[in-house]
């Protein structure tokens, strides 16, 4: 198995902006720990950054302060930086080519949000024949309320991880993942 770590959308919008991640507690620390463990073990790491296609967007506007990577992620070494503008990290990006260049047959998902970009990227990876590891404590989400209903961050996170574990991903904690390196 040759894995690559995907650190998805760990941007200031999720800390200081309109969409503060609230669950699980300690999510950023876990993201940073898996990045450090990947570096020590020689696991290639792609940092993925989202921007909205609308240059006037109030969230994830390219070049804005909230679009920037979290400083702790930005300061850590990584092998590749990929910009995307849709939830799936493979759509319209060079991610697939990069994974082939590092001969990865497995991707490990960390970052935000569990139910949108992490979920979509995991599904896209599985559709491409890659094995997927989805880190339950290094991904995160927030409470959601809209015209379809409302759900707590914990409920959202648990529902997505449960669905991922059915046929798409192996859901595991960061400590277990790190012990495999």
């Amino acid at each position: 198995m040759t894995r690559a770590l995907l650190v998805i959308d760990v941007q200031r919008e999720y800390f200081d902006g309109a969409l503060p991640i609230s669950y699980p507690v300690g999510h950023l620390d876990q993201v940073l720990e898996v990045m450090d463990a990947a570096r020590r073990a020689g696991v290639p790491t792609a940092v993925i950054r989202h921007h909205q296609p609308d240059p006037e967007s109030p969230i994830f506007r390219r070049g804005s302060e909230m679009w920037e990577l979290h400083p702790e992620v930005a300061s850590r070494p990584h092998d590749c930086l990929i910009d995307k503008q849709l939830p799936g990290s493979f759509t319209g990006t060079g991610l697939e080519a990069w994974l082939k260049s590092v001969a990865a047959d497995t991707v490990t998902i960390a970052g935000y949000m569990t139910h949108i970009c992490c979920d979509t990227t995991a599904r896209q990876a599985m559709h491409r024949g890659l094995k997927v590891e989805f880190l339950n404590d290094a991904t995160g989400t927030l409470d959601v309320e809209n015209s379809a209903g409302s759900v707590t961050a914990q409920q959202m996170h648990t529902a997505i991880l449960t669905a991922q574990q059915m046929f798409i991903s192996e859901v595991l904690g960061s400590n277990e993942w790190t012990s495999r390196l």
Side-chain angles (χ1 to χ4, degrees):
M1 171 188 307
T2 305
R3 57 174 53 92
L5 175 63
L6 307 183
V7 179
I8 301 172
D9 302 347
V10 184
Q11 294 167 258
R12 290 195 49 212
E13 193 73 64
Y14 289 128
F15 298 90
D16 307 316
L19 302 167
I21 298 296
S22 60
Y23 187 85
V25 172
H27 52 83
L28 178 61
D29 291 336
Q30 294 306 118
V31 170
L32 300 175
E33 285 182 28
V34 298
M35 287 183 78
D36 293 344
R39 180 57 50 187
R40 287 190 302 271
V43 173
T45 300
V47 170
I48 299 163
R49 178 176 55 192
H50 183 79
H51 70 274
Q52 292 293 94
D54 177 0
E56 302 302 317
S57 176
I59 60 171
F60 295 106
R61 189 177 65 251
R62 186 190 286 265
S64 70
E65 285 183 54
M66 296 303 107
W67 166 80
E68 293 174 6
L69 294 171
H70 187 284
E72 289 290 329
V73 168
S75 71
R76 279 174 164 69
H78 52 273
D79 302 289
C80 179
L81 176 62
I82 293 174
D83 283 302
K84 68 177 182 65
Q85 61 180 9
L86 292 169
S89 298
F90 287 89
T91 306
T93 72
L95 179 58
E96 189 167 14
W98 178 76
L99 289 168
K100 286 179 182 175
S101 78
V102 298
D105 61 8
T106 302
V107 294
T108 304
I109 305 289
Y112 310 123
M113 287 190 285
T114 306
H115 63 287
I116 300 178
C117 297
C118 293
D119 179 69
T120 302
T121 300
R123 291 169 187 271
Q124 289 181 320
M126 187 270 282
H127 289 185
R128 286 165 170 77
L130 296 164
K131 182 179 178 193
V132 182
E133 299 168 318
F134 203 114
L135 300 181
N136 61 14
D137 55 355
T139 52
T141 191
L142 47 87
D143 296 340
V144 175
E145 184 173 343
N146 57 37
S147 61
S150 65
V151 63
T152 68
Q154 184 175 2
Q155 291 168 330
M156 178 72 79
H157 195 70
T158 300
I160 295 302
L161 295 177
T162 302
Q164 280 288 324
Q165 181 67 41
M166 285 181 70
F167 297 110
I168 299 162
S169 299
E170 177 185 9
V171 176
L172 68 159
S174 297
N175 288 339
E176 182 179 350
W177 182 79
T178 301
S179 74
R180 296 177 177 187
L181 301 181

